[in-house]
Amino acid sequence: MNVEISTPTTELAERLSPTPRGARLARRLTATHLATCGYPHDSDLNHTAQLIVAELAANAVTHGRVPGRDFELRLSLLREKDTLRIEVSDTRGDRPLRFLDGRLEDEHGRGLVVVQVLATLWGVSERDVGKTVWVELALSGGRRGGGAYRHGATK
């Protein structure tokens, strides 16, 4: 019998189709990965990360989609910094992020506001092809809300 021993890793990187199905999968992968790393599905960190990934993946699929090119999800647990780093990269560098002024009756326009409220820190990094929106969350449930925005900041 061939038995492989699986060791949980603190990083997940996955390319996903730029479709609503790919965005849903990004959220599910986030929930499962964090649960595997010791942050159960019903924990605050897991819920918050799922919500942020859902917003960023939906934006990548809706506004950052280039036919034939995937978007990428990357999760990194940086325990030494007490941080979860979420990165969602798309292939549209020609469309900068926009905060829409969503009204109560609007169905769209609040995604980045939600990200800003939930994140400890967040920003956008340009890539050779496209852009990466990244978010940092405190693992210990520390400061949350009103996250500072940094354009072009990297790891």
Side-chain angles (χ1 to χ4, degrees), residues 6-142:
S6 175
T7 304
T9 178
T10 59
E11 186 163 305
L12 168 79
E14 196 72 43
R15 287 190 175 189
L16 302 158
S17 66
T19 62
R21 187 177 193 173
R24 284 191 307 274
L25 182 55
R27 182 176 185 156
R28 288 184 177 171
L29 285 169
T30 298
T32 301
H33 179 71
L34 290 175
T36 301
C37 292
Y39 300 93
H41 289 317
D42 61 350
S43 68
D44 285 343
L45 178 72
N46 200 311
H47 280 253
T48 301
Q50 284 184 62
L51 183 57
I52 288 171
V53 166
E55 291 296 342
L56 297 182
N59 281 351
V61 167
T62 305
H63 306 293
R65 182 176 189 271
V66 173
R69 294 189 178 169
D70 295 339
F71 75 94
E72 183 178 78
L73 168 68
R74 182 176 299 274
L75 304 174
S76 302
L77 281 168
L78 309 170
R79 294 188 200 271
E80 68 282 355
K81 295 181 179 180
D82 190 43
T83 299
L84 168 64
R85 184 174 173 100
I86 299 167
E87 298 178 7
V88 175
S89 303
D90 66 46
T91 53
R92 290 287 302 254
D94 61 331
R95 295 182 98 174
L97 296 185
R98 295 183 327 173
F99 283 93
L100 300 179
D101 205 10
R103 296 176 304 218
L104 289 175
E105 63 273 9
D106 291 344
E107 291 185 25
H108 304 285
R110 294 179 195 85
L112 290 177
V113 174
V114 170
V115 169
Q116 182 176 21
V117 168
L118 295 175
T120 303
L121 188 67
W122 74 283
V124 180
S125 299
E126 296 176 17
R127 302 165 22 136
D128 289 339
V129 176
K131 64 187 168 299
T132 297
V133 181
W134 55 268
V135 175
E136 292 185 355
L137 296 173
L139 292 174
S140 61

